[in-house]
Amino acid sequence: MSEQKPDSPTQDARPQTSNGCSTASHGLTNDDIADDVRALSTLGNDTRYEALRLIAEADEDLCVCEIEPALGVSQSAVSQALSKLFSAGLVERRKEGRWRYYTATPRAERLLDVLDETRP
C-alpha cells in the first residue's frame, strides 16, 4: 500500500521552488555571515593563526615585544597580524605606556577549542 501525503503542509514545511524542491534557509543575518567570514579568513594566515595561538595559550596578556620573537617575522608583519586579529574581534588590546598588550576574546578561544577537538 502506498504512503499517503498529508493534504496540508506541516508546521515545519519549507517553501518550495517551482521544481518542487524545498528552499534551504538558516537563521543568520548578512552581518552575522560577514563577521563569521571575516573571523575565518583572518585565521587563514599562518602568522595570524600562530599569533592567536600564542596569545590564547598565554597565562596573561602578551606584549608585542613577546610575540614578535616567537613568530620569527618582522615587526611590521606582527603589527599587521595583530591589527587584523583585533579588527576581526579575535583579540582585545590595551595600551600601557608605549606597549600594547593582547588577550584572546572568548570567541577566539571557542574557535581554537573547536579546531583542537576536531583535529584527527
Side-chain angles (χ1 to χ4, degrees):
M1 183 171 200
S2 67
E3 197 174 303
Q4 289 186 342
K5 294 182 181 177
D7 292 334
S8 61
T10 60
Q11 283 184 318
D12 61 354
R14 295 183 288 195
Q16 293 193 351
T17 62
S18 61
N19 66 4
C21 293
S22 45
T23 303
S25 64
H26 56 72
L28 299 175
T29 66
N30 287 340
D31 287 344
D32 292 338
I33 292 170
D35 288 343
D36 289 353
V37 169
R38 187 178 310 111
L40 294 171
S41 295
T42 300
L43 293 178
N45 169 278
D46 293 354
T47 301
R48 292 189 298 259
Y49 180 74
E50 191 174 358
L52 182 60
R53 279 280 174 190
L54 290 169
I55 293 165
E57 293 176 9
D59 292 332
E60 53 190 32
D61 296 0
L62 278 185
C63 175
V64 174
C65 65
E66 297 169 298
I67 299 168
E68 187 179 324
L71 293 177
V73 296
S74 70
Q75 183 217 358
S76 174
V78 172
S79 293
Q80 287 178 2
L82 294 172
S83 177
K84 288 190 183 228
L85 288 167
F86 178 77
S87 293
L90 298 173
V91 296
E92 295 171 347
R93 65 184 177 201
R94 67 179 171 81
K95 192 168 184 174
E96 192 173 297
R98 60 178 260 193
W99 298 107
R100 284 198 172 160
Y101 291 83
Y102 291 84
T103 186
T105 63
R107 183 178 199 197
E109 291 177 357
R110 287 193 305 270
L111 284 169
L112 294 175
D113 287 345
V114 168
L115 288 171
D116 290 343
E117 292 169 10
T118 57
R119 191 176 298 113

